[in-house]
Amino acid sequence: MYKTLLGATGLQVSALAMGTDVLGSKIDQETTFALLDYYFGEGGNFIDTGNFYASWLPGCQGGESETVIGAWMKARGNRDEIVLSSKLAFDYPGCDGGLSAREIERECEKSLKRLQTDRLDLYYAHRDDRDVSQEETMNAFDRLIKAGKVRALGASNVAVWRIAAANTIAKAHHLTPYSVVQQRYTYLRPRHGADFGPQIVIGPELKDFALTENVALVAYSVLLQGAYSRTERELPVQFAGPESDDRLKALAALAKEIGRSVNQVIIAWMRQSTPSVLPIIAGSKIDQLKENIAALDITLTKEQMHTLDTAGNPTAEQGWIQPT
Ligand SMILES: NC(=O)c1ccc[n+]([C@@H]2O[C@H](COP(=O)([O-])OP(=O)(O)OC[C@H]3O[C@@H](n4cnc5c(N)ncnc54)[C@H](OP(=O)(O)O)[C@@H]3O)[C@@H](O)[C@H]2O)c1
């Protein structure tokens, strides 16, 4: 797997990150180690976890993912070869959530302990907290940076204007800004008004912001739980509609033309887009990781990228809006 510079962070990360939300919980330790070994063996070094993973599963308290990753890095002795990212802000047993200075200090310590390390390479705000001033949040994050406990900051599920506002505060006070943004993103575009709860989707405004400000984009839920290729999994209702039908047709036709899977075409398209978006891949089976990582061999032509980009767009023949 090739490596790439993660925006302004200075971190060299593999072209695909490894998702871990259900490792150490739904997926047992032995399988987790095998999946992480495979990813690492293929040149992957960018691990994505979060403090509350996977507290939503029955019998789980949160911290399971960080704990199993910590055990794996210790067993393999490879902490220094990993770019480790974690997140905070959702509540889980023993944690009220949010982005107050107190939560940031306390949750960072808990994550470091579970991960058996002295630093996080990337620490994300996992959601916004409008009850706490952004000055307080950015100052607290910056103290972790100055203490050497965190190397770079990211924002996930935060509106673009709020990230811009936080970075303006950071700049004015000589604090560390957010230099990575992680949101939901896939090839299909959600219908207007689609609701994803606290999750926010990468859209044109964020792409513009990322290009202008040298902010790296990372995407989750890229393969919609395998629904593009698995008949037993339905595409989420937020994506239903004629535009998606057209995009699915274009995707299937291109996959057939180049003899690759639709999942691979999505990953290749995302990496080759401008700005490039770094997909988090996840899977419970080695074969899934194998298929997803092999997508990095694909180079789509300009014409193929154009076909994928414009599929489902309204055409000029369908009319245009008269400026008033
Ligand atoms: N920042 C956030 O708010 C946020 C939110 C969600 C996720 N994340 C991160 O992103 C990671 C991935 O999220 P996600 O699980 O939603 O991603 P996803 O890409 O939508 O789904 C991953 C699942 O799809 C299936 N799959 C993967 N590759 C496949 C293939 N080649 N063929 C068929 N099925 C395949 C597997 O399901 P089975 O294992 O069931 O077979 C796998 O577990 C998480 O682990 C987490 O680290 C972050």
Side-chain angles (χ1 to χ4, degrees):
M1 219 181 303
Y2 67 90
K3 301 266 191 321
T4 177
L5 196 59
L6 191 66
T9 63
L11 298 167
Q12 283 283 343
V13 294
S14 51
L16 301 173
M18 176 79 185
T20 66
D21 62 349
V22 293
L23 300 188
S25 53
K26 188 172 154 196
I27 298 179
D28 65 26
Q29 173 159 322
E30 193 187 338
T31 312
T32 295
F33 276 33
L35 292 167
L36 290 173
D37 282 343
Y38 183 77
Y39 169 77
F40 185 66
E42 290 294 305
N45 73 345
F46 189 17
I47 294 189
D48 183 81
T49 185
N51 63 348
F52 91 127
Y53 292 167
S55 61
W56 59 90
L57 294 177
C60 293
Q61 300 289 308
E64 289 85 1
S65 166
E66 289 183 330
T67 302
V68 80
I69 292 166
W72 174 75
M73 290 189 303
K74 189 169 184 211
R76 302 299 181 251
N78 63 2
R79 169 65 189 95
D80 291 344
E81 292 162 73
I82 299 293
V83 177
L84 189 57
S85 63
S86 193
K87 321 184 190 78
L88 90 152
F90 283 100
D91 62 303
Y92 66 105
C95 167
D96 293 337
L99 295 170
S100 67
R102 186 164 166 266
E103 286 298 324
I104 288 172
E105 281 154 29
R106 202 169 50 180
E107 285 305 309
C108 182
E109 289 306 322
K110 283 161 67 180
S111 289
L112 292 175
K113 197 167 172 209
R114 288 189 290 244
L115 287 159
Q116 303 190 49
T117 184
D118 58 356
R119 70 198 184 281
L120 296 171
D121 298 300
L122 175 61
Y123 201 23
Y124 290 100
H126 207 161
R127 64 181 304 172
D128 205 350
D129 181 352
R130 302 215 182 176
D131 295 329
V132 170
S133 76
Q134 288 188 303
E135 283 83 357
E136 176 175 336
T137 298
M138 299 315 281
N139 270 293
F141 274 138
D142 193 65
R143 281 195 291 278
L144 295 178
I145 299 264
K146 297 222 162 74
K149 293 181 181 181
V150 170
R151 291 178 66 185
L153 299 178
S156 182
N157 305 310
V158 180
V160 186
W161 76 268
R162 291 277 294 171
I163 300 170
N167 282 1
T168 301
I169 291 166
K171 199 171 177 187
H173 298 278
H174 307 289
L175 306 172
T176 309
Y178 293 125
S179 42
V180 182
V181 177
Q182 181 186 135
Q183 320 274 57
R184 180 182 259 273
Y185 193 54
T186 184
Y187 175 62
L188 292 185
R189 297 184 291 219
R191 287 157 63 167
H192 184 66
D195 186 0
F196 292 98
Q199 300 186 340
I200 293 185
V201 176
I202 292 179
E205 195 174 3
L206 177 56
K207 290 181 193 171
D208 186 11
F209 176 75
L211 279 174
T212 313
E213 300 290 320
N214 191 22
V215 162
L217 296 182
V218 174
Y220 64 79
S221 300
V222 168
L223 298 182
L224 299 177
Q225 296 294 309
Y228 284 102
S229 60
R230 292 161 71 163
T231 46
E232 85 282 10
R233 297 231 164 135
E234 282 190 20
L235 284 167
V237 63
Q238 292 95 331
F239 296 96
E243 179 191 318
S244 283
D245 295 343
D246 287 349
R247 283 175 89 76
L248 287 171
K249 271 186 216 145
L251 187 64
L254 185 49
K256 193 169 174 205
E257 180 190 325
I258 64 173
R260 304 299 290 262
S261 74
V262 286
N263 295 320
Q264 291 175 325
V265 173
I266 293 165
I267 290 169
W269 166 82
M270 199 171 281
R271 282 267 32 162
Q272 269 184 250
S273 294
T274 305
S276 182
V277 178
L278 194 152
I280 304 175
I281 56 161
S284 51
K285 297 186 181 65
I286 302 278
D287 278 352
Q288 293 168 345
L289 298 184
K290 197 173 188 175
E291 177 185 339
N292 301 342
I293 291 169
L296 296 174
D297 300 343
I298 302 173
T299 304
L300 297 169
T301 64
K302 253 188 186 171
E303 291 71 27
Q304 289 166 338
M305 286 297 290
H306 181 74
T307 302
L308 289 174
D309 284 336
T310 54
N313 286 359
T315 63
E317 294 79 51
Q318 288 168 309
W320 63 294
I321 297 164
Q322 180 79 44
T324 53

